Amino acid sequence: MSSAFYQTLTTNYFPAMPPALDTNMRFKFSVVALLLEVIIIVLFGIFVEYREDNNPEILYPIFQDVHVMIFVGFGFLMTFLKKYGFSSVGISMLLAAFGLQWGTLMQGFWHMQEGKIHVNSNSMINSDFSTATALISFGAVLGKTSPLQMLILTILEITIFACNEHLVTEIFQATDVGASMTIHAFGAYFGLAVTLVLCRPGLKKKHENEESTYQSDISAMIGTLFLWLFWPSFNSATASGNFFYIKAIVNTYYSLAACTVVTFALSSLLDQRGKFSMVLIQNATLAGGVAVGTCADLSIHPFVAMCIGSIAGIISVLGFHFLTPLLASKLNIHDTCGVHNLHGLPGILGGIAGIVVTAINEENRRGNRLTPGMQAAALGSTMGVALVGGALTGGILKLPFLGQVSDQNCFDDSVFWEVPEEKKPHEIHSNNYDEHSRFEATM
């Protein structure tokens, strides 16, 4: 075989893989992950010290509940994709483990005393909160990014989140005990901005792997149940005082219950055969916990919390049914998990509820009177910071060496994981195919 013929053959039929689609993580991911962990350990050695807990017997059980939500609830909720369960649970664990360390530093830098960051049960709860933003955004880009991209997203998002949280709570003096605005709305719109910048026209048509199976939906429902059960702890974890703590638990409890009933009712109503949709049950039933978060500890009666939960359920169901397809077709916003409907819209509803409640009732926290103007400023700033921060982060994630997968390899664990062989092994397409040709390859 002549060298000229060999060169022609390899060029035409086996072209080199473009760097932008090089998904081999062997050295890139390992080096970056280890380097980041070393940096964090050094920063902990310099800045972090212990601080005695005031109420460890109360705070640690709350921390356990929140911890389960972060590591089990969020991870399993995203296992609905039939070939992406390893990544849904595994990468969620990676991001949470890394994010809680980074969150300790980023939030701690705003509250340093004598040049030190003090850690205890309360700071551990807040660190878990910071990772929730990255996990929410992960849901928007699920199946379309590499582990290295998600590490970079976690660093940037938690850094920006900590700045926005400081702006909302310290500058605007707004309340957001259940973080409807600062975590849920922020994480959702940050993720939507990222997925918009990482737009994939080749995914406008439904990908063959972007669907669930009976078993994967049951797995995702486990995540839903864990989140549903522990959400009252999430919304009450940072409440100041026993009275406000109990009030946040009760309001979240009834908001979730009302939201669930409404979700089941609308799910059946919107189906021509009157059947329930597992997508709606897995997600929209949680919207009540998101929406009641901002005013969970404010002067509202349980029936108001139930009304908020019911409205959240309606908004979430209608969002999944009508808005998600519209965003995908008109704005090229491909929201894999529907975080806009579970976290984004209910988060905005929670912010609006906080504005209304503070306008009607005189509320005080930490010696400051809560005003509707400051609540509105907090909601507006959160939305703006999330969208701008997400767009900038998306631009950074497009860098070629971060290993973004090609369209035909999306939603497939075997790109980054050792997957047990099946009777009919799934073919992994070469990443050098044109991104619009995943259906042509099967012809």
Side-chain angles (χ1 to χ4, degrees), residues 17 40 77 135 177 189 209 315:
M17 182 182 295
I40 288 176
L77 181 62
L135 294 176
V177 67
Y189 288 102
N209 290 335
I315 291 175

Side-chain angles (χ1 to χ4, degrees), residues 244-261:
F244 299 113
Y245 171 69
I246 296 300
K247 183 181 290 187
I249 291 176
V250 172
N251 286 332
T252 305
Y253 179 79
Y254 287 111
S255 179
L256 283 166
C259 178
T260 300
V261 175

Side-chain angles (χ1 to χ4, degrees), residues 383-426:
M383 296 290 292
V385 171
L387 291 171
V388 173
L392 293 175
T393 300
I396 294 172
L397 297 186
K398 294 184 76 171
L399 293 174
F401 66 89
L402 294 179
Q404 184 171 349
V405 297
S406 62
D407 285 358
Q408 57 265 45
N409 283 345
C410 286
F411 315 111
D412 194 334
D413 275 333
S414 59
V415 177
F416 298 111
W417 294 81
E418 288 287 346
V419 178
E421 292 186 3
E422 300 177 357
K423 293 181 179 180
K424 295 181 179 179
H426 176 69

